[in-house]
Every structure is written in C-alpha cells, then in structure tokens.
Amino acid sequence: SLSKTASENAKAVAEAVAVRLADKSAKEEDKVKYVWLLGQAKQDSSVPLMLDIFKTSNPTSWLHNVTSRVLVEIGGDEVGAVFLDNYRKNKAKMGENRKFDAMQELAMLQYAPAVKDAEEFLKIDPERYYWQVYFIFGLFDDLAVPMLCEKLNDSDALVRTNALGAIRFLMPESKD
C-alpha cells in the first residue's frame, strides 16, 4: 500500500514530497495529498514545512485541517508551541466547535503549557457539552491532574463540578 511504502521509505518520500509542496503552482488538492504522504512518512524534518502550511493556509480549508492532523500525529514541542500560539491569537474569533477542536489537538499533543488555557473548558455547561471536558482533560491525562485538583477549591460551583467529573474520568477503574 502507499501508506506502507511511505513509512518504509520515509526519508526519501519526505524529501520528494517537500519539493512538490514547495512548488507554488501546485493545486491545493495535490498539496493535501502531499501533506498526507508526509504524515505517513512521519519525519521530524517535515515539521517546519508543515508548520509553514499550517500558518499560511486558510483555517477553514481542507489543506489546513489535514496539515493540522498530520502535525498532531508527528507531535513535538515545536508543534505544540505553534498550535498554542495560534489558539491564543485566534480563540476570540473561533466558534465553540473550532475552539474545542483546537484545544483537543493541544491535548492530543499533551503539550503541558496548554493545560492552563484548557481551564476555560471547566466553565462549560455540563448539560450541554459535558463530553468536551472529558475529551480534553482525558487526552491531557496526568498533566491535567494538578490543575484539576486545584480547581476543586474554585469559587465557581460549575468549575468545581467539571473538575471533579474530569478527575473521576481520569481515575483508574477499580480492580474489584
């Protein structure tokens, strides 16, 4: 399969695809395919090129979304730093769903500096979006526990309730 070939010949694939992505005349649909291939190759050397695409592509485009997902799969602090910076700069313009998606990506990266920014999701109405708290803090996993424990003493009952729910979600199941 193409995916297997890309992972077995990762460095060669990454180099060849990088040349094609740098071509300014390449169509966006072709760039999406190239980014996907880079994701299959999972080469750290591809991260700067993909971060450039992430920063310069239309945030609602397919190219941006695929690039974002591939970067999350590759991971790393450089990716986390760019994603967190993007989140902070653009969260006021993001709708509820996009804001959740962006924080979920940071949680998937387990980028520790983003835990503080995730606090705002503790203010979510549990009757409407309780699952967002579980997804985000579940993905942050142990990184979120100190902040969640601190929030058990918050003056806002909603924050306390959501923090407790997230901690319960993170607790290992009983072996009884």
Side-chain angles (χ1 to χ4, degrees):
S1 78
L2 187 57
S3 178
K4 185 178 177 186
T5 302
S7 62
E8 288 174 353
N9 303 297
K11 188 172 181 173
V13 167
E15 289 170 1
V17 170
V19 170
R20 299 219 176 170
L21 273 170
D23 179 1
K24 300 294 182 198
S25 66
K27 296 179 187 172
E28 183 166 315
E29 64 189 52
D30 292 332
K31 287 183 177 185
V32 168
K33 295 171 193 172
Y34 300 148
V35 167
W36 177 83
L37 269 172
L38 282 176
Q40 299 306 303
K42 289 189 173 88
Q43 292 289 298
D44 290 341
S45 61
S46 303
V47 169
L49 175 61
M50 287 192 288
L51 284 173
D52 185 53
I53 293 168
F54 175 81
K55 291 175 192 173
T56 59
S57 60
N58 178 338
T60 61
S61 71
W62 193 25
L63 176 60
H64 185 84
N65 290 330
V66 170
T67 304
S68 177
R69 292 298 175 191
V70 167
L71 285 165
V72 167
E73 286 181 31
I74 293 173
D77 285 345
E78 182 181 11
V79 174
V82 170
F83 277 39
L84 182 56
D85 183 58
N86 182 65
Y87 177 81
R88 288 175 175 166
K89 284 180 181 173
N90 296 305
K91 74 178 182 175
K93 297 181 267 182
M94 295 177 182
E96 286 181 10
N97 290 336
R98 180 62 198 123
K99 193 183 323 185
F100 166 73
D101 289 343
M103 184 53 66
Q104 184 180 16
E105 290 171 347
L106 286 159
M108 290 167 75
L109 286 164
Q110 291 202 323
Y111 189 60
V115 171
K116 182 82 175 140
D117 293 79
E119 284 183 32
E120 71 182 276
F121 287 87
L122 293 174
K123 296 178 182 175
I124 287 177
D125 178 2
E127 297 295 321
R128 187 165 176 211
Y129 291 117
Y130 72 91
W131 52 271
Q132 287 187 355
V133 172
Y134 297 154
F135 274 44
I136 289 170
F137 294 105
L139 289 166
F140 273 123
D141 200 23
D142 290 345
L143 290 173
V145 172
M147 184 271 296
L148 291 169
C149 288
E150 178 186 309
K151 293 301 173 182
L152 292 175
N153 294 317
D154 197 273
S155 61
D156 185 331
L158 181 59
V159 169
R160 290 192 309 269
T161 299
N162 281 330
L164 182 59
I167 290 169
R168 284 184 182 149
F169 183 76
L170 291 171
M171 288 175 50
E173 290 189 28
S174 173
K175 303 224 185 215
D176 295 340

